[in-house]
Amino acid sequence: MHVPLSWLHEYVDFDLTAEELVELFSLRSQEVDGLERLGVMSGEVVVGEVIEFGPHPNADRLSVAKVDLGGQQVQIVAGALNPYPGARVPVILPGSTLADGRKLKKTKLRGLESYGMMLSERELGISNDHERILLLDGPYEVGHPLKDYFPIGETVLEIDVMPNRPDLWGMIGIARELAAILKTTFRIPEPTYETGGSPTGDYDLRVGAEDLCPRYDLRRVSGIQPGGRAPLFIRRRIYASGMRSINAIVDATNCVMLETGQPIHAFDATRVRDSIVVRRAYPGEEMTLLDGQTRVLDEEMLVIADEERGLVVAGVMGAEEAEVGEQTTDVLIEVATFAGRNILETSQRLGLRTDASGRFERDLDPNMVSYAMDRVTGLIAEISGGRSASDTLSHYPDPARPWQVPLRLERTELLLGMTVEASEAAQRLELLGCEVQREDGKLSTTVPTFRRDLRREADLIEEVGRLIGLENVPERLPGVPLPGGMTREQRKLRRLRYLLAGLGFVETMTYPFGPARWNEGLDVQRTLKLRNPLSAEASNLRTSLLPGLLDTAARNRSFGVRGGAFFEVGRVFEPREQPLELRDAALRYRLLGDTSRGDSDGDAAADLLIGVAEFQKVTGLYAGTVRASVWNAPALTAGFFEVKGLVERLVPSATFEPRPWTFLHPGRSAAVLLRGAEVGWVGELHPETAQMFGLEGWPVCAFEVDFAAVEPDPTPHFALFYNVPAVSMDLAILVDEEVRVGDMLDTVAQLRSSILAEARVFDVYVGSQVPPGRKSVALNFTFQAEETLTDVEVKEEIARISGRLREAFGAEVRGG
Amino acid sequence: MTEIEHILRLFAEVERRQNPLEEAQKALNGLEEAQRAQDPLKTTQRALGTLEDAQRNNPLEEAQRTLEALEKAQGVQNPLEAARRALKSLEEVNRLVEDAWASIESAQTLAELEQLRIEYLGRSAALTEMKKSIRELPVELRPQIGGAANRASRSIEAILEARGAELTAVEREERLRAEAVDVTLPGTPYPKGSLHPSQRVIDELVDFFVGLGYRVAEGPEVETDYYNFTALSIPPGHPARGMQDTFFLDEGLVLRTHTSPVQVRTMLSQEPPVYIVCPGRVYRRDSDPTHTPMFNQVEGLAVDRGLTMGHLKGTLTAMARHVFGEAVRLRLRPSYFQFTEPSVEMDVSCFVCDGEDPNCKVCKGAGWLEMGGAGMVDPAVFEEVGYDPEEYTGFAFGMGPDRMAMVKYDIPDLRLFFEGDLRFLRQF
Ligand SMILES: [Zn+2]
């Protein structure tokens, strides 16, 4: 809402600078987005009369005028061509400053002195017209300061009106609000007009969709002088309020809308066929609106029509058919209210939001209609010489009435946390337009119909609190009576993130929706889709964090990065099979929070009804050169065992099983198992996947593990240790190349040796030193017991181990 | 006084008081006396007697052997000769110690020193030889000569050790000098990862509220229409739904547009008192330089008996000071949210300029930074979750950790947060 302060001053007295007003309004009522200044900011503008006007001798595009400023004649060089001898013009004197920052001086233009400047409408803040000098038409006396006739400068407050305050979409509401803040009074214009024009009753009014139209009033004003422009004082208000002047009648309706918040429509009565009909649009009904576009309407939309055709999409925009134009002398004025939600939906479906629809969609007060009707009638009569009909057609079957809301002082003080005097609360509410009866510790409040947001006690408490000032609420801290804290899982998440960052990973946060490639690349069949993605591309909910990280790596690659280590902890989403018979129950749950199945089987699980399974995953990615080489350390590039080692660090009891995932290298990928259950995967990216994600040629290794399976900091358990030396023994074993070292280690573990403390693989060799098809695996065993072990004991155990390996894998023991 | 000087003095004393010549003479006399007392003739006779006994077996050979032994004994135990040798040895010891002292002092390497050790104390060194020959000396002379020799050995050992320590130190110094590295070369790199800037702020906020006694509550990101809107007094058709630019999924499902449904879920699952903080990702269908379709929120909810707006204000002030420093102030402005009444916006005074700098980069000269919304929980929300609004009051608040990170770390563009650009992320 644009609030020209000169206008506001007419309704309420205040002695505040614009900046103070901004601050006060922000702290007590609505947010103020900014201040706009128009016209002349300081100095003087006087009415001058052009004595001579002619071309500049040295410049084609300039003119020279001699202007009488009342006892003083000055020469002014101008860019415009429209002044003529005898015309009255506004002349700004040297030393004055314009809103755009220009400061006027006596100057020379192309060799000729110029004293001040003749002003255009734009320079005076009246309209956007800068082609011509404003010619003053009317009782303007030469030599008089122009500000005696209308304000020459304007400061406009840009107020961001909250959606629950449609009353603040008009100057009257703003004036009332300011008066309540300042504890003062405000005044509004008393509409006056004369009747005697052609009767409204020549037309019929039929309202066919009452649910969408609580009130519809129609009044005829005739005998209007055609083709008139609105006077300056109206045009400058419209311009300062951010609208465009059209013609006298439309400007008058807009001016009253800006004043009351109530949109008004005027039809050219001669173009309306017999009746005004308020009805739903016919399916497929077409209407060409004032923006020149033809729109197809549907039955949910309300139109104002005559007997033959649609004239207006109700509350949104008019069609060309019955619009007021240059020839209009007879108008039908519509002042109505419509169902806000319907207007909102219509304007959304048409993609058309107007000053009117923005107001109607908030549900306007039908009781404002009468005042707005009288006000606009009076204004049209005043500026266009029309006469009002003495009758008004009105459809208002169910008049809105004020309602009562009790306010307990005790409750007020409890919610606000400060003491509130009953008299103070009562006064503030009265200033807002309420009637207040004081009873014991209670205020019985009658709320006016223009404050539909004040329905409950809490609503009144908010009003009292903000008008007293929230800065007066003393600060306190609650004494929380519970032990708070993070859960074990929440602490685990924190540790996990810090651990991965400590290990060199960069924490990322990627979008959970992406292109089809995301799921196709992972060979995922069923996914959840957004119905209204920002782009058709980004419509698939992720089933893995990998694609987002791959895209991230690829984007960095395009920035010229050589590689990196990324991790993310986040949710993935999978659709859950939902039995058909649960479909209705699911909808009731989703829309109403109802978990009953709707049959005799009792409640269904909420996660089944929601139909979506969410899992938290931790995913790590090594791509390209993770760390560049330095003078004493080689580069770190993505490799299977680097990434596997990370999984082993995160899931200490994990086991690994070769598994050919379609998106991973078939020979370099494994399932991560925890106590036999699959909890994730680890592997090198398949070259095809790498190509799909723009990472071809880069080594890329990744892992993804269920967050639930991760143990970054397992709970320690003390194990007894012995203070006698351990014995270390090496064993080199020849086996077939296919034999898996992991199986060998498992086999050794299954021996359950009572003295084997650790088995470590320290070399794996394939090459000329061993027979073809065989590999040498070098193992180191550490033996430890309560007593010092004898050679014999150790040798026996080694023999048992090598015996078992021979048996199980055909191993050939080469030395020990 | 060094060992050497001590020994030299001892020798001088020996020489002065126990002139080895006199000693030798005395020893000689003693020997002659002994010879007289143990007349060799008698010995000879005894030997001859033995010879005769032996002759009964092989008299001639036995006698011959005995004679030879006798002559040998006499030769060896020629006391005079021995005394002379002893005297000479003493002079030799003196000279040796002086020699050793000089050469050891001038030795330049540990190897050279080892050579000198062998030369003066080794198996074939003069001093060793002399010690070996001590037992050939008359008994009376042995202590003096033996003592002098031992003292000489010890003094040589001592000086060897002293010089050895000196040379070891010198050689270690040289070795260390040779081992010097260019300390300006960079050290071995350790991995350095980073934490997302929004997460850093979320962690800080969570820590703060956990410190106050709050719990951390979480909920699904795919949310039902009911929890995301209706339960929060935003029924179907309400204009606030349009304002939130929701992503829709299957009918009745949305990507949550705020973390408020977590509050509803928590209230539905427990009785008051409730003190929770709800961090999480939320989604709105909005993408421009200042909006991303995904962003983070941290909301909080407190429900208890007697909670007031004063408690809300005190809590938010403490929170702002925790994040932005002790000097900041909090300001509440009236606002409008569906699920709170009264509703407020919270501003924090600029932690950089405190409103003093009209050109401040952080607050753009406003002096205040918008932190988020808050308010007293709307009674309708309490009714929806089955709490008695007459018995309980509560407050709720919501903040944008992304925007807080922007002001805290001076980040110019929100979009950077979710693009995964390493040049950005590595700075945190
Ligand atoms: Zn600042």
Side-chain angles (χ1 to χ4, degrees):
Chain A
M1 173 75 184
H2 288 58
V3 178
L5 293 190
S6 70
W7 197 353
L8 187 59
H9 270 292
E10 289 184 12
Y11 297 170
V12 56
D13 295 323
F14 59 93
D15 186 17
L16 297 165
T17 65
E19 288 73 17
E20 287 166 346
L21 191 61
V22 167
E23 166 108 358
L24 191 64
F25 222 80
S26 296
L27 289 177
R28 296 283 186 275
S29 182
Q30 314 288 301
E31 190 159 343
V32 181
D33 281 345
L35 276 176
E36 194 188 352
R37 298 188 198 272
L38 301 168
V40 178
M41 281 298 99
S42 71
E44 199 169 359
V45 180
V46 296
V47 179
E49 189 172 282
V50 178
I51 310 293
E52 288 171 21
F53 192 80
H56 191 293
N58 309 325
D60 290 347
R61 295 180 175 202
L62 295 180
S63 314
V64 186
K66 275 222 161 51
V67 183
D68 176 10
L69 299 183
Q72 182 194 8
Q73 284 198 8
V74 297
Q75 173 174 282
I76 299 176
V77 177
L81 294 167
N82 66 317
Y84 52 87
R88 304 230 160 137
V89 291
V91 175
I92 185 166
L93 304 184
S96 307
T97 311
L98 290 166
D100 60 17
R102 275 186 291 163
K103 202 170 161 66
L104 269 294
K105 305 184 275 230
K106 261 192 258 181
T107 180
K108 263 191 178 175
L109 284 169
R110 292 289 180 104
L112 288 184
E113 288 239 334
S114 183
Y115 181 90
M117 189 168 76
M118 294 183 284
L119 296 178
S120 68
E121 292 196 352
R122 189 165 86 192
E123 284 157 342
L124 277 167
I126 294 166
S127 79
N128 215 14
D129 185 356
H130 194 49
E131 292 293 298
R132 291 163 295 181
I133 302 299
L134 169 64
L135 303 182
L136 295 166
D137 188 12
Y140 298 95
E141 278 184 49
V142 175
H144 259 66
L146 190 62
K147 64 172 186 285
D148 290 354
Y149 304 95
F150 58 83
I152 54 169
E154 189 65 85
T155 302
V156 184
L157 231 53
E158 288 164 30
I159 296 179
D160 189 5
V161 176
M162 289 170 209
N164 62 335
R165 293 298 303 274
D167 61 305
L168 297 182
W169 276 109
M171 288 302 300
I172 291 174
I174 299 282
R176 182 186 296 112
E177 187 80 359
L178 181 59
I181 294 170
L182 296 173
K183 285 195 185 177
T184 181
T185 53
F186 72 105
R187 53 194 169 266
I188 57 174
E190 191 64 44
T192 52
Y193 54 89
E194 281 173 27
T195 54
S198 314
T200 317
D202 290 350
Y203 295 84
D204 271 348
L205 171 65
R206 287 207 311 280
V207 177
E210 287 191 7
D211 54 328
L212 301 182
C213 179
R215 180 165 187 182
Y216 195 99
D217 281 22
L218 195 67
R219 182 182 289 168
R220 187 172 178 184
V221 178
S222 51
I224 293 168
Q225 289 168 0
R229 284 188 83 191
L232 281 185
F233 82 94
I234 288 190
R235 290 202 288 125
R236 63 178 300 283
R237 274 181 187 179
I238 290 195
Y239 179 66
S241 301
M243 296 184 76
R244 214 158 43 88
S245 166
I246 309 285
N247 57 44
I249 296 164
V250 173
D251 286 3
T253 62
N254 282 336
C255 196
V256 175
M257 174 178 79
L258 294 170
E259 187 174 64
T260 59
Q262 168 67 55
I264 297 164
H265 195 86
F267 301 94
D268 185 330
T270 59
R271 292 160 79 178
V272 174
R273 320 250 163 100
D274 305 334
S275 309
I276 288 291
V277 182
V278 182
R279 60 162 169 83
R280 287 169 191 270
Y282 306 126
E285 182 170 354
E286 285 187 10
M287 215 186 274
T288 302
L289 302 183
L290 283 173
D291 62 359
Q293 296 201 33
T294 302
R295 286 184 170 76
V296 182
L297 310 180
D298 63 49
E299 289 168 285
E300 294 306 311
M301 298 175 181
L302 191 68
V303 298
I304 316 296
D306 59 17
E307 292 297 346
E308 291 168 19
R309 63 225 158 128
L311 304 176
V312 176
V313 176
V316 182
M317 193 180 268
E320 287 161 338
E321 271 74 14
E323 280 311 306
V324 171
E326 291 292 304
Q327 274 80 47
T328 304
T329 57
D330 190 355
V331 297
L332 284 168
I333 299 168
E334 162 204 296
V335 186
T337 57
F338 303 108
R341 184 176 165 187
N342 180 260
I343 298 296
L344 173 70
E345 285 168 358
T346 298
S347 110
Q348 279 172 350
R349 282 213 292 286
L350 294 179
L352 191 61
R353 207 153 180 279
T354 58
D355 288 301
S357 77
R359 287 176 167 84
F360 279 125
E361 71 188 29
R362 304 288 179 210
D363 273 329
L364 296 179
D365 174 21
N367 291 334
M368 181 59 99
V369 167
S370 309
Y371 177 81
M373 181 65 95
D374 287 349
R375 185 76 180 115
V376 75
T377 307
L379 204 55
I380 290 176
E382 178 188 340
I383 67 179
S384 305
R387 276 183 168 246
S388 169
S390 50
D391 59 331
T392 303
L393 301 182
S394 179
H395 169 87
Y396 189 22
D398 187 12
R401 295 182 208 292
W403 53 91
Q404 302 242 317
V405 182
L407 175 68
R408 293 166 295 174
L409 275 170
E410 184 197 348
R411 186 78 183 169
T412 309
E413 294 188 333
L414 170 63
L415 272 192
L416 296 177
M418 62 177 169
T419 46
V420 177
E421 295 299 328
S423 54
E424 172 87 15
Q427 188 193 4
R428 296 292 186 176
L429 292 172
E430 280 162 356
L431 285 164
L432 290 175
C434 300
E435 283 170 32
V436 181
Q437 298 280 317
R438 287 174 62 176
E439 294 162 29
D440 284 346
K442 216 165 95 177
L443 301 179
S444 173
T445 309
T446 306
V447 179
T449 53
F450 56 80
R451 286 303 303 272
R452 294 193 169 196
D453 57 313
L454 304 182
R455 290 279 171 188
R456 303 158 314 160
E457 190 178 41
D459 302 329
L460 298 182
I461 292 173
E462 177 173 67
E463 298 303 283
V464 171
R466 69 179 177 88
L467 289 175
I468 292 176
L470 298 173
E471 69 273 18
N472 297 311
V473 174
E475 292 180 5
R476 299 170 60 195
L477 273 180
V480 180
L482 302 164
M486 290 195 275
T487 62
R488 212 187 96 77
E489 289 292 285
Q490 288 161 348
R491 288 198 306 273
K492 184 176 100 175
L493 174 58
R494 182 76 70 88
R495 287 203 175 110
L496 172 68
R497 291 175 35 246
Y498 277 71
L499 171 65
L500 284 169
L503 291 170
F505 283 82
V506 170
E507 184 177 29
T508 53
M509 221 178 253
T510 61
Y511 291 103
F513 35 76
R517 168 171 55 88
W518 273 22
N519 293 322
E520 284 158 11
L522 266 57
D523 201 22
V524 171
Q525 306 306 327
R526 294 187 59 226
T527 57
L528 291 157
K529 279 190 182 293
L530 294 180
R531 280 189 183 178
N532 58 337
L534 271 171
S535 73
E537 265 274 272
S539 65
N540 300 276
L541 285 205
R542 65 186 175 192
T543 55
S544 162
L545 308 190
L546 179 67
L549 291 184
L550 291 175
D551 279 354
T552 301
R555 197 173 307 123
N556 278 288
R557 188 187 194 179
S558 74
F559 296 150
V561 172
R562 308 263 315 273
F566 305 87
F567 85 94
E568 179 167 4
V569 185
R571 312 271 181 92
V572 302
F573 308 87
E574 283 168 22
R576 283 188 65 144
E577 287 295 346
Q578 212 172 45
L580 262 179
E581 67 270 21
L582 271 186
R583 186 68 196 165
D584 284 349
L587 278 182
R588 275 201 312 281
Y589 172 69
R590 293 170 180 183
L591 298 172
L592 306 170
D594 176 5
T595 52
S596 70
R597 294 177 61 115
D599 55 28
S600 54
D601 290 354
D603 284 7
D607 59 339
L608 188 60
L609 293 174
I610 199 167
V612 177
E614 275 182 38
F615 305 99
Q616 195 160 25
K617 302 274 187 188
V618 49
T619 308
L621 179 76
Y622 267 168
T625 304
V626 177
R627 282 200 299 279
S629 68
V630 291
W631 67 277
N632 63 345
L636 173 64
T637 51
F640 177 83
F641 290 102
E642 279 72 32
V643 180
K644 183 187 173 187
L646 283 161
V647 176
E648 289 169 328
R649 171 69 183 82
L650 299 182
V651 193
S653 4
T655 55
F656 297 81
E657 209 172 271
R659 177 140 337 154
W661 311 87
T662 54
F663 59 99
L664 296 177
H665 186 304
R668 296 182 181 179
S669 54
V672 181
L673 307 175
L674 185 61
R675 290 177 283 280
E678 188 178 308
V679 295
W681 52 261
V682 56
E684 186 177 311
L685 203 65
H686 197 291
E688 204 178 302
T689 319
Q691 187 154 18
M692 191 184 288
F693 283 87
L695 286 168
E696 60 278 358
W698 263 19
V700 180
C701 286
F703 69 85
E704 182 160 276
V705 181
D706 293 344
F707 173 71
V710 167
E711 273 296 346
D713 186 23
T715 311
H717 285 289
F718 175 75
L720 204 58
F721 56 87
Y722 304 109
N723 228 350
V724 293
V727 182
S728 168
M729 290 280 281
D730 291 349
L731 203 57
I733 298 161
L734 265 187
V735 288
D736 285 347
E737 267 191 76
E738 297 76 49
V739 171
R740 293 189 203 128
V741 175
D743 293 347
M744 291 168 65
L745 292 174
D746 286 347
T747 304
V748 170
Q750 279 156 18
L751 284 173
R752 304 198 183 289
S753 163
S754 59
I755 60 169
L756 179 60
E758 193 196 340
R760 182 166 55 88
V761 184
F762 70 92
D763 191 36
V764 177
Y765 175 80
V766 180
S768 58
Q769 304 298 307
V770 296
R774 306 274 276 176
K775 68 180 166 190
S776 160
V777 179
L779 300 170
N780 171 273
F781 297 102
T782 305
F783 297 102
Q784 171 84 62
E786 205 169 335
E787 306 288 337
T788 306
L789 289 164
T790 64
D791 265 11
V792 178
E793 285 170 306
V794 171
K795 286 207 169 108
E796 269 175 10
E797 198 64 3
I798 281 283
R800 197 160 77 95
I801 291 170
S802 34
R804 182 76 193 98
L805 291 175
R806 219 179 343 260
E807 204 174 283
F809 303 103
E812 191 183 316
V813 176
R814 300 217 301 176
Chain B
M1 185 163 50
T2 67
E3 181 72 4
I4 298 291
E5 285 165 338
H6 181 66
I7 287 176
L8 286 176
R9 230 179 44 205
L10 277 177
F11 267 83
E13 215 164 287
V14 167
E15 273 185 304
R16 197 173 62 247
R17 284 204 301 191
Q18 300 186 333
N19 188 330
L21 264 170
E22 271 173 34
E23 293 285 321
Q25 197 56 53
K26 268 193 267 180
L28 207 55
N29 294 343
L31 201 62
E32 278 164 2
E33 228 167 285
Q35 272 180 326
R36 272 195 301 279
Q38 295 183 346
D39 191 8
L41 274 176
K42 275 183 196 164
T43 311
T44 308
Q45 277 165 354
R46 269 206 307 279
L48 279 175
T50 314
L51 196 64
E52 279 163 10
D53 287 349
Q55 265 182 331
R56 281 189 287 273
N57 300 326
N58 188 348
L60 214 60
E61 257 178 53
E62 259 331 299
Q64 193 63 38
R65 270 206 303 275
T66 307
L67 270 174
E68 279 170 14
L70 200 63
E71 276 169 10
K72 201 171 183 181
Q74 275 184 324
V76 166
Q77 294 193 343
N78 185 340
L80 207 59
E81 182 64 18
R84 270 190 214 107
R85 275 212 304 273
L87 186 61
K88 215 175 129 213
S89 298
L90 276 174
E91 286 166 352
E92 187 118 323
V93 164
N94 273 341
R95 194 178 50 73
L96 263 175
V97 169
E98 271 168 41
D99 264 16
W101 192 78
S103 5
I104 288 169
E105 282 293 286
S106 60
Q108 291 306 314
T109 67
L110 284 172
E112 215 177 298
L113 208 60
E114 187 54 28
Q115 277 304 312
L116 290 172
R117 175 188 299 281
I118 292 164
E119 191 180 326
Y120 290 108
L121 298 174
R123 208 175 291 177
S124 50
L127 206 53
T128 314
E129 291 295 330
M130 190 157 65
K131 284 181 185 168
K132 275 188 207 158
S133 63
I134 280 172
R135 66 185 126 92
E136 291 169 14
L137 289 179
V139 173
E140 293 84 345
L141 274 178
R142 287 180 193 172
Q144 278 82 8
I145 301 299
N150 282 339
R151 276 193 299 276
S153 288
R154 279 202 300 276
S155 83
I156 292 170
E157 273 163 16
I159 193 173
L160 272 171
E161 196 177 319
R163 185 61 184 157
E166 275 172 33
L167 288 179
T168 305
V170 169
E171 286 192 6
R172 193 176 53 215
E173 277 302 307
E174 276 167 12
R175 197 177 63 241
L176 294 181
R177 243 194 311 283
E179 283 169 1
V181 296
D182 177 359
V183 298
T184 64
L185 270 172
T188 305
Y190 283 81
K192 160 147 185 1
S194 62
L195 293 165
H196 194 279
S198 301
Q199 279 294 348
R200 283 180 174 273
V201 172
I202 292 172
D203 289 350
E204 260 187 82
L205 291 171
V206 165
D207 287 347
F208 169 76
F209 285 107
V210 161
L212 286 187
Y214 284 55
R215 285 188 304 106
V216 184
E218 293 160 295
E221 290 178 17
V222 171
E223 191 48 282
T224 67
D225 183 281
Y226 171 76
Y227 286 117
N228 195 74
F229 294 120
T230 307
L232 291 160
S233 308
I234 312 174
H238 193 281
R241 286 194 173 207
M243 286 161 62
Q244 292 208 353
D245 302 312
T246 312
F247 281 115
F248 296 101
L249 290 106
D250 197 14
E251 190 173 0
L253 292 183
V254 299
L255 286 182
R256 67 177 177 197
T257 56
H258 42 197
T259 55
S260 313
V262 181
Q263 303 181 21
V264 176
R265 286 173 173 275
T266 303
M267 286 190 280
L268 282 171
S269 69
Q270 69 161 97
E271 289 299 312
V274 175
Y275 289 89
I276 53 164
V277 60
C278 320
R281 303 189 195 196
V282 301
Y283 305 91
R284 290 189 195 174
R285 201 176 169 282
D286 202 354
S287 187
D288 62 44
T290 57
H291 295 89
T292 48
M294 170 178 76
F295 58 99
N296 289 284
Q297 261 194 349
V298 174
E299 291 191 337
L301 171 73
V303 182
D304 208 339
R305 289 191 178 88
L307 287 183
T308 74
M309 185 163 277
H311 292 118
L312 169 63
K313 210 171 154 185
T315 301
L316 294 178
T317 300
M319 180 279 297
R321 291 185 176 157
H322 176 80
V323 177
F324 294 109
E326 285 306 312
V328 301
R329 285 161 291 120
L330 184 89
R331 177 175 91 167
L332 298 184
R333 285 181 290 116
S335 188
Y336 169 71
F337 303 107
Q338 252 340 94
F339 34 94
T340 50
E341 189 79 35
S343 301
V344 293
E345 295 281 341
M346 49 170 155
D347 298 340
V348 171
S349 62
C350 179
F351 61 95
V352 174
C353 76
D354 198 25
E356 300 294 320
D357 177 6
N359 301 313
C360 176
K361 267 173 64 187
V362 171
C363 67
K364 315 273 180 279
W368 295 94
L369 301 162
E370 292 184 16
M371 277 304 122
M376 302 305 291
V377 179
D378 194 293
V381 173
F382 279 161
E383 271 156 29
E384 187 69 36
V385 300
Y387 288 2
D388 180 358
E390 285 297 309
E391 185 176 359
Y392 294 104
T393 53
F395 59 79
F397 51 86
M399 291 164 284
D402 310 323
R403 289 189 192 283
M404 289 169 95
M406 285 176 78
V407 292
K408 197 172 157 80
Y409 305 127
D410 201 11
I411 301 166
D413 190 343
L414 177 68
R415 288 172 298 186
L416 286 169
F417 283 70
F418 309 115
E419 282 172 351
D421 191 333
L422 284 172
R423 297 168 300 181
F424 171 71
L425 292 174
R426 278 199 180 127
Q427 299 184 26
F428 300 95

